[in-house]
Amino acid sequence: MNNARNIEPDLRLKAAQLNVEMGDWVHGLAPWQVISHMTFAWEASIWSAQRCYEKFMRTEMRGVSYFYALEQNPGRDGYHVHALWCDCKNMRRTEIWEKWFHRYGRARIEPVNNRDDVADYCAKYVTKENTWWGVNLLGQRHPANQNFQLE
């Protein structure tokens, strides 16, 4: 069922506009190289998913800038992660997958083929209800090192 049908017609346009603006914002943050979809073997709460994901990024993915959204699992309780990464340098997706799998659960880690589509894809999760998102831009990508302006 399309949940947009439950929204008043004038609010549908606002929701669509929000999706486009969020996609543009995510797209402009960094030259995203990798998209990942990461699950947990247990029914991770939103706060557990956030802690685990950020710890994984801090310990196993040092130097990688990222944007992520936590979405409720569609078929069971708990949350999973949709994320974009850049500055991955010489990291191997298979090794990252193994580290995540042995600690937390399944993952799909793929190169970005179309940055616009991928940014829009991740942004749509941010605009859903009951969603948490975060961004961590490192080094030259950090807003303090740019003329950064969020409107």
Side-chain angles (χ1 to χ4, degrees), residues 14-121:
K14 288 183 181 181
Q17 181 181 2
L18 177 61
N19 282 340
V20 169
E21 289 175 1
M22 191 66 190
D24 289 347
W25 182 72
V26 170
H27 180 276
L29 288 173
W32 303 117
Q33 301 165 313
V34 174
I35 183 168
S36 62
H37 314 275
M38 306 171 106
T39 65
F40 297 93
W42 67 94
E43 296 174 347
S45 71
I46 196 166
W47 308 120
S48 173
Q50 177 195 19
R51 274 191 315 276
C52 291
Y53 181 75
E54 290 182 3
K55 179 180 180 183
F56 182 81
M57 295 304 292
R58 197 172 47 251
T59 59
E60 300 299 334
M61 304 287 289
R62 284 181 294 279
V64 172
S65 293
Y66 59 89
F67 168 87
Y68 74 100
L70 300 175
E71 180 192 23
Q72 277 187 302
N73 292 325
R76 65 180 176 119
D77 288 339
Y79 285 78
H80 61 276
V81 181
H82 299 277
L84 297 171
W85 302 336
C86 75
D87 305 319
C88 297
K89 300 175 187 86
N90 296 324
M91 295 181 177
R92 296 185 49 151
R93 289 182 291 134
T94 54
E95 291 173 7
I96 298 166
W97 183 91
E98 273 186 35
K99 289 177 183 180
W100 180 269
F101 180 77
H102 290 297
R103 286 192 187 135
Y104 302 114
R106 297 179 55 205
R108 193 170 78 221
I109 303 169
E110 303 170 312
V112 168
N113 294 320
N114 182 318
R115 287 186 57 226
D116 292 343
D117 289 347
V118 167
D120 289 345
Y121 177 78

Side-chain angles (χ1 to χ4, degrees), residues 65 137-149:
S65 293
L137 302 175
L138 302 173
Q140 75 279 12
R141 306 214 187 283
H142 193 279
N145 298 329
Q146 300 177 14
N147 292 329
F148 185 80
Q149 186 174 352

